[in-house]
Amino acid sequence: MASRYPIGGQALLEGVMMRGPRSWSVAVRTPDGAIAASAYPLPWNAAAHPWVRWPFVRGVWVLAEQLAIGMRALRLSAAYSLQEATGASVETTERQLTWTMAIGIVVVLAVFIAGPALAAKLGGHAVGARSSVAQNLLEGAIRLGLFLGYILLISLVPGVRRTYQYHGAEHKTIAAYEAGDPFEPEVVDRYSTLHVRCGTNFLFIVLFLTIIVGLGIDMMVHGLPLAITARLVAIPILAGGGYEVIRAAGRDPDSRALHIVSLPGLALQKITTRPPDHSQIEVAVKAIEAVIAAETAADAAADSR
């Protein structure tokens, strides 16, 4: 392997998902203490569609793909625990997760995008924020406050703490891989639970960009319904921009500007990650080993053609 594969991940229910350029994997700690790991090809072949690698477009593509495989990974992790413990069917779990994902997207757009815009526009005059700049700053403050409050609130849920520990294990394992260190729990555990390419950092950057874009929208459109609609339509563009920022930060860790931009997101990861124990690191290691094996096999198959 001439260079290391770009790998990202996601914490699951008692497990970790890892994603490479062409494949993804899931590793889960089963109720009997074993680790079940499996790898799968990504649902879409990006090589067949070069346009998905264009700047900004690739961010939207990766986000859509991450939602798709993330939902399936959650289904698999739930199946390992729920099916063995209660006999719940995999199909039922998938339907539940599909509806949960769809409802969750609607709620996120309503609460974090439309809600703050509505509150800032209608309530801005009451607090003396009459200019577009003042109203957008108020809107951004409400949006970021809701986001921080949500993170703090769910961190109090007992079961979420273990998921945050797996989140930390995912970050540590990816950092060890990027540094070229062996996948031994004692070695992996030396690394930080914070990572610049984390989804928490991505979400914060996107929410911050809504303040800047909101100013531009208010200069071009008039009327509350149009302003809110334009903000919702702009989400894919903001997602593409946020992806480019964290991608650049991951490729150039010595950039002072990118480090400063990433500082708030890294600070929030102190809430969304927790130090894992060695058994959780073992699960993350199995996940990354599975996706590396799949990527290596894909390289070998391509070379043999």
Side-chain angles (χ1 to χ4, degrees):
M1 184 172 59
S3 60
R4 301 194 179 278
Y5 303 110
I7 293 178
Q10 176 182 321
L12 306 172
L13 177 65
E14 291 299 324
V16 172
M17 182 271 284
M18 294 286 186
R19 178 189 182 279
R22 292 157 297 186
S23 57
W24 61 282
S25 67
V26 171
V28 179
R29 179 75 68 178
T30 60
D32 63 2
I35 300 176
S38 52
Y40 310 88
L42 290 176
W44 300 289
N45 182 11
H49 307 283
W51 58 269
V52 304
R53 294 176 177 169
W54 295 350
F56 293 95
V57 174
R58 58 192 172 197
V60 180
W61 176 273
V62 169
L63 178 60
E65 193 172 61
Q66 187 71 17
L67 287 173
I69 65 175
M71 185 176 67
R72 187 179 176 193
L74 286 169
R75 177 183 65 82
L76 290 171
S77 67
Y80 279 119
S81 56
L82 296 179
Q83 194 169 25
E84 294 191 28
T86 67
S89 68
V90 173
E91 290 76 16
T92 300
T93 303
E94 185 171 15
R95 285 196 299 270
Q96 291 172 342
L97 285 172
T98 299
W99 278 105
T100 300
M101 182 70 71
I103 294 171
I105 291 174
V106 173
V107 170
V108 166
L109 292 177
V111 173
F112 292 103
I113 303 300
L118 183 63
K121 300 302 181 188
L122 296 180
H125 290 281
V127 296
R130 292 179 173 83
S131 70
S132 293
V133 174
Q135 288 183 0
N136 274 278
L137 290 176
L138 176 61
E139 178 184 337
I142 294 172
R143 187 171 289 127
L144 293 176
L146 286 172
F147 181 55
L148 179 58
Y150 169 75
I151 290 177
L152 289 170
L153 183 62
I154 65 171
S155 69
L156 301 177
V157 179
V160 172
R161 181 179 178 83
R162 284 193 61 81
T163 302
Y164 282 177
Q165 286 181 290
Y166 277 107
H167 192 190
E170 171 223 323
H171 284 184
K172 284 174 176 281
T173 305
I174 291 175
Y177 170 67
E178 292 172 341
D181 278 341
F183 291 139
E184 298 172 3
E186 296 79 7
V187 176
V188 173
D189 201 23
R190 297 172 189 165
Y191 286 89
S192 172
T193 59
L194 312 182
H195 199 286
V196 71
R197 290 189 289 105
C198 174
T200 305
N201 192 23
F202 167 77
L203 288 174
F204 181 87
I205 291 172
V206 169
L207 292 178
F208 180 77
L209 289 175
T210 60
I211 301 174
I212 301 173
V213 172
L215 286 170
I217 289 174
D218 289 344
M219 292 175 63
M220 295 184 292
V221 302
H222 301 284
L224 185 57
L226 280 178
I228 293 177
T229 301
R231 281 163 168 76
L232 295 175
V233 172
I235 292 301
I237 301 173
L238 298 179
Y243 177 80
E244 294 302 321
V245 172
I246 64 171
R247 187 175 186 269
R251 288 177 174 268
D252 187 10
D254 296 326
S255 170
R256 183 178 297 274
L258 291 172
H259 177 70
I260 292 173
V261 170
S262 300
L263 279 177
L266 291 171
L268 286 176
Q269 287 179 48
K270 293 182 180 294
I271 302 174
T272 62
T273 63
R274 291 286 187 273
D277 58 35
H278 283 191
S279 68
Q280 292 165 324
I281 292 175
E282 289 172 353
V283 174
V285 166
K286 288 293 184 183
I288 201 170
E289 287 177 339
V291 80
I292 291 171
E295 293 293 339
T296 304
D299 280 343
D303 292 340
S304 65
R305 295 192 187 104

